[in-house]
Every structure is written in structure tokens, then in C-alpha cells.
Amino acid sequence: MDHYPIMSNLGPESSDPSEGRSARVDEDLPSKTPPGPDGLPVVGNARSLIRDPREFYDKLSEYGSVVGYRLPWMEFCTVLHPELIERVLMVDYERYAKWGLEDFGGEFAPEGLLLTDGEQWRRQRTTIQNAFTVERIQSYGDTMAQGATEMINGWDDGEEIALNQAFSKLTLDVLTRSLFDLQLSEGSDIVTEFAETLNDRGSIDGISTFLPMWVPTPKNRKYKRVLSEFRSFVDGLIDERRGRADEYDDLLSLLLAAEDDDGNTMSETEIRDQMVTFLFAGHETTSLALTYTFLELAKEPSVRERLDTEHDSVLGGGAPGLGDLNNLSYTEQVIQESLRLYPPAFIMFRKVTEDTELGGYRIPKGTRLTLPQFYIHTDERWYDAPERFDPSRWTEEFEDSLPDYAYFPFGGGPRHCIGMRFAMLELKTILPIVAQSTEFELLSDPDPELDMATTLRPAEDIRMRVSKR
């Protein structure tokens, strides 16, 4: 695989981003800010981003690896080199706070783990990590397998389904039964409605996306209504459990009972926002990963055939147990490649907390950073034929040659996705069960338009015809 020189095009003043790291005090900061495209008054570069996000990033990349641009009322900077992304997420992460679009007023769980910072985040992370130990995650495998089997049994041979909707329902069921010891039944409707509404609000499809929440647009009004209903639903779940936490051994009871070193418990808002965060992020991303994986399997018979061969050899028609997972190497390669081409969490945001240097440029305090997985994952500097779905690329030699942050579907650094192991177990459990029991005939567009919203979702349903095996 051909690579550009590892540190090429990083910036004007240094060929190595680590150069000068120990001397980065204020008086030594570069005077130049990142270059970038000119924008229009007020709206900045928003129209170009809305028109075609991929083309917009192609244009940004022509300016280098650290590029400035403007959106309404805000200065942005995108980072397009793995080693600089590593600096943001790993090396100097305390200079880059989490940013959750709060300037637009659309944050859905500001007191939840996803969006908190500093000591509050560290306290929450320590508490919640106890629900994601290796032993606990391994215990969820049977629930994942049961859910997948029940979904398949509910399909008729020859039935036409919207695969994205089916997997969304499945992963929400798995999540609530595993982490919260709940079966939502009819209550799941408000969770999926909120997921759709949050994505609609965050979709880069018009200038209204960048309007503050107090502006009474149809999207804003619907978002406020559905968020209020979702929070009320979650409050009801918490109230039902309160006082009985010691009867359960799950994340919700852990949140209710946890105390910090001073004996303080989480606030009502914190508990609610943890639940809101996990109910959305914990099922939406995994359902999209399964959807895109089976989309590509339906398009690539040779990949499907090799996957079937592995499943026949290792599983023989059964559900994968913990002892089987290490032998499902091609299954893991298929998942890795799907997450490369279709990272559900497709872009990360940060906010600069103090004037700093990155790639040879001064990045002013308050600048919003974007770290775009969707773009880095398909950069020809790191991947041959980057648009091709090719699981066989994921050899040990290839991974050793790949810069660490040329592939980061679960983020990185101290704030990497806390549910990463849970998600990977779910994918490696459900994928073989569904593949061994069914084949899918793709009925919708083989190259669907992708909507860059809160997650990377298909603009239209992925429709399949089910054939039972």
C-alpha cells in the first residue's frame, strides 16, 4: 500500500507535530491561524457544507491537515491527519473540551457522560465503568443471541423488511434488557421517535440546522416536544426503580446507588441524562453498523460466501459463544471494514479551551474542532481503493502499518466510547446468527444516499427481502 510520507503537509512551521511540544508556551505560539476557504457574511461556509459535505471536505483538504472555516457565528477548524488527531484526543486532550452543539441549544443530555467535562466527567466515568467490565459484558452474550433469534423467528420467508428499522428495534431491546433489566415493549416507540427527531434536528440539510433552538422552526418545535416526552418517559423508568435498586444488578441501579468519595450521589438530572444518553447512543450506532454490514454483504457475494464458510466451520449453525469469538477472524474483518466505510458516529467535536498550537498554526481559544472519521477512514494516504468494501485488507501487517488514528470508529484517548466492548460483542454475536439463518435480497438503492445527521444514517430505508436458510 502506498503511503504519503508520514508527516507530510502537517503545517507551515514544523514537519513533525511533536517538535516544540515542550516549549509551547504562549509567547512561542505561531502567529498564523489555519488557512481555509473564504465564506459569505454571517453564514460563512455553511452553504458549501450543506450542498455536499463530502465535496466540502475534499476542498478543505486542499489547504492541508489543519484547515479553518466558518459556520454561522462560529469559527471552526478541521483536523485531517491521524497524528494531529492523536494529539487532540490523547496527548493534549485537556486543551480540547467536549462540544455537543450547545451553542445551537440542541444538546439532549448535557449532564450525561457524553457531554460532561472535567471532574464531573471523571466521576461519572469511574462510576459507569463498573457496568462495562469484561466479565459483565461477557454475561450479556446470551441476551444478545436470544434477541437476534427472536427477531429472525418473527420474519416470514419472502417477507420484505426495512433492515435499519428491524435492527434498531433489536439493538434497543438488547440494550434495555442487558444494561437496565427492562423490557420496554410499547415504551420503545418514544425512544425510536426521539432518535429520529434528534437526527432530523442535526441533519446537515439546510441553514435551519445552524439556528439556535429558541428560533421556532418546525424542526426546533418538534425536537423540544419529543425531547420533553422522552425525558418524562425516562423519569418514569427511574421512579419505578427508585427504592428497589438493591434488587437489581444493572446500570440503572448502579447509577441510583453510586456515591463519590465524599458520599455524594448523582443528581436527578445526571441520572436522567445518563439514561437518555445510553438509550439513544447505545442502540442507534450498533443498529446502523449492522444495517450497513448486511447492505454490503448483499452487494458482495464473494464476501458473503467467505463469511458463510467461516461460520459453517466455526459455528456449524449455532450461536457464537465466548470461546468461538477468537476464531471468527473474518467476521471481525467484515465488521472492521463496515465501521471504516460507514462509521455511525462519523465526526467528533471538540472546543479549544486556551490558545494553542496544532500543525504549526495558532488555534484560538473557543475554536470548534471537527475530527471527521468519515473522511479520514477513506483517505487514500492510508487506504488503497478506499471506497471499496474489502474486509481482507485488515491483515495484521496492514494494521501494523496504519497510523493509530487513521481508524477510530469508537473515538480515542481517555474519552473513547465506554460501550466499545459491548458494541463489538453485540456485532460479533448478532452478525453470525442472522447470516446463518437468512439471506437478503437488496430491494432498495445499492448505494443509498447517506444523511450526515447526529449519526450517519441512510436517507431512505434499506429494504431487503428475507429468505430463510
Side-chain angles (χ1 to χ4, degrees):
M1 180 177 64
D2 294 330
H3 282 217
Y4 293 166
I6 190 67
M7 298 311 302
S8 67
N9 203 26
L10 285 177
E13 300 185 14
S14 172
S15 61
D16 183 342
S18 65
E19 196 173 301
R21 184 176 295 163
S22 61
R24 282 190 294 124
V25 293
D26 282 354
E27 58 267 26
D28 293 331
L29 290 178
S31 59
K32 294 182 66 175
T33 55
D38 293 331
L40 298 172
V42 182
V43 299
N45 303 105
R47 288 184 177 177
S48 298
L49 175 61
I50 292 165
R51 185 167 53 246
D52 188 330
R54 179 74 200 196
E55 181 181 347
F56 177 69
Y57 270 85
D58 284 337
K59 294 293 185 183
L60 292 183
S61 70
E62 295 174 4
Y63 291 88
S65 292
V66 183
V67 187
Y69 63 99
R70 291 187 300 113
L71 294 178
W73 308 288
M74 282 177 285
E75 297 293 328
F76 275 78
C77 174
T78 196
V79 185
L80 300 176
H81 195 286
E83 292 201 16
L84 298 177
I85 290 171
E86 182 174 21
R87 176 179 289 179
V88 172
L89 296 180
M90 275 288 291
V91 179
D92 294 333
Y93 65 90
E94 292 185 342
R95 295 174 183 262
Y96 304 97
K98 195 77 174 182
W99 184 63
L101 309 179
E102 55 266 25
D103 298 272
F104 304 123
E107 71 273 27
F108 63 96
E111 298 292 311
L113 183 67
L114 186 65
L115 297 178
T116 52
D117 262 312
E119 183 56 36
Q120 183 184 23
W121 170 80
R122 279 186 282 272
R123 175 172 51 82
Q124 291 180 355
R125 179 91 182 195
T126 300
T127 297
I128 294 171
Q129 187 67 55
N130 292 324
F132 290 92
T133 62
V134 173
E135 293 77 15
R136 278 183 178 267
I137 290 172
Q138 289 177 344
S139 72
Y140 303 143
D142 289 344
T143 300
M144 296 169 178
Q146 180 184 349
T149 301
E150 290 172 356
M151 177 187 70
I152 294 164
N153 290 340
W155 290 338
D156 294 327
D157 190 42
E159 181 180 354
E160 181 180 332
I161 62 169
L163 198 62
N164 50 302
Q165 294 184 25
F167 281 137
S168 178
K169 182 178 179 181
L170 168 63
T171 55
L172 178 58
D173 180 59
V174 167
L175 176 82
T176 55
R177 288 162 65 178
S178 298
L179 295 185
F180 302 122
D181 200 9
L182 296 167
Q183 289 186 278
L184 294 184
S185 60
E186 294 181 2
S188 63
D189 291 346
I190 185 59
V191 183
T192 53
E193 183 181 8
F194 174 72
E196 292 172 1
T197 303
L198 179 61
N199 268 309
D200 288 343
R201 177 63 182 87
S203 179
I204 306 173
D205 60 358
I207 292 295
S208 65
T209 299
F210 306 103
L211 294 177
M213 190 57 63
W214 56 262
V215 179
T217 66
K219 280 187 179 182
N220 284 352
R221 290 198 301 269
K222 181 179 180 182
Y223 177 80
K224 287 181 178 179
R225 175 182 61 79
V226 176
L227 176 60
S228 177
E229 292 174 4
F230 184 38
R231 284 175 170 171
S232 295
F233 169 73
V234 171
D235 285 339
L237 296 178
I238 295 170
D239 289 342
E240 288 178 13
R241 181 66 60 85
R242 194 176 299 281
R244 299 188 297 127
D246 58 351
E247 300 175 21
Y248 295 85
D249 184 23
D250 59 11
L251 177 58
L252 176 52
S253 295
L254 183 68
L255 294 173
L256 288 167
E259 296 181 353
D260 63 19
D261 293 339
D262 298 322
N264 300 314
T265 58
M266 285 193 187
S267 69
E268 297 288 317
T269 302
E270 282 183 294
I271 294 171
R272 183 200 66 198
D273 282 3
Q274 308 306 342
M275 290 283 288
V276 168
T277 297
F278 280 97
L279 284 171
F280 168 70
H283 93 277
E284 173 80 0
T285 52
T286 309
S287 71
L288 288 170
L290 286 165
T291 298
Y292 291 130
T293 299
F294 278 98
L295 170 66
E296 289 297 328
L297 291 175
K299 293 161 54 178
E300 300 290 345
S302 63
V303 175
R304 177 62 194 256
E305 182 178 353
R306 182 172 172 184
L307 191 68
D308 289 342
T309 298
E310 177 175 89
H311 292 164
D312 289 344
S313 173
V314 176
L315 303 174
L322 291 175
D324 298 314
L325 297 182
N326 287 337
N327 297 320
L328 295 174
S329 56
Y330 191 66
T331 301
E332 183 164 351
Q333 288 176 295
V334 168
I335 294 168
Q336 286 178 285
E337 184 70 345
S338 178
L339 292 174
R340 181 186 72 83
L341 272 180
Y342 305 99
F346 66 100
I347 193 165
M348 299 180 68
F349 296 98
R350 291 292 187 268
K351 185 177 181 179
V352 181
T353 60
E354 59 183 280
D355 283 9
T356 190
E357 177 273 333
L358 191 64
Y361 297 105
R362 176 188 290 267
I363 312 296
K365 178 181 177 180
T367 303
R368 280 68 171 173
L369 293 191
T370 56
L371 314 175
Q373 288 102 315
F374 82 95
Y375 197 85
I376 300 294
H377 286 190
T378 54
D379 191 324
E380 62 184 8
R381 289 180 290 179
W382 325 121
Y383 300 95
D384 289 332
E387 302 295 336
R388 188 175 71 221
F389 184 77
D390 180 15
S392 64
R393 75 172 78 237
W394 291 99
T395 63
E396 185 175 340
E397 294 75 18
F398 171 72
E399 292 194 55
D400 287 344
S401 73
L402 196 65
D404 286 345
Y405 284 82
Y407 180 76
F408 58 119
F410 294 101
R415 298 197 66 132
H416 72 275
C417 175
I418 198 170
M420 178 177 65
R421 290 195 186 97
F422 183 95
M424 286 303 296
L425 177 63
E426 190 171 12
L427 292 169
K428 292 179 73 173
T429 300
I430 292 175
L431 174 57
I433 292 174
V434 176
Q436 288 182 102
S437 302
T438 61
E439 290 184 358
F440 295 115
E441 177 190 356
L442 181 60
L443 303 177
S444 54
D445 189 342
D447 296 303
E449 181 180 348
L450 302 182
D451 183 12
M452 291 185 176
T454 307
T455 54
L456 188 66
R457 63 177 181 174
E460 303 290 341
D461 285 340
I462 306 298
R463 305 205 66 82
M464 300 278 192
R465 178 166 286 111
V466 177
S467 295
K468 296 289 188 74
R469 301 182 70 185

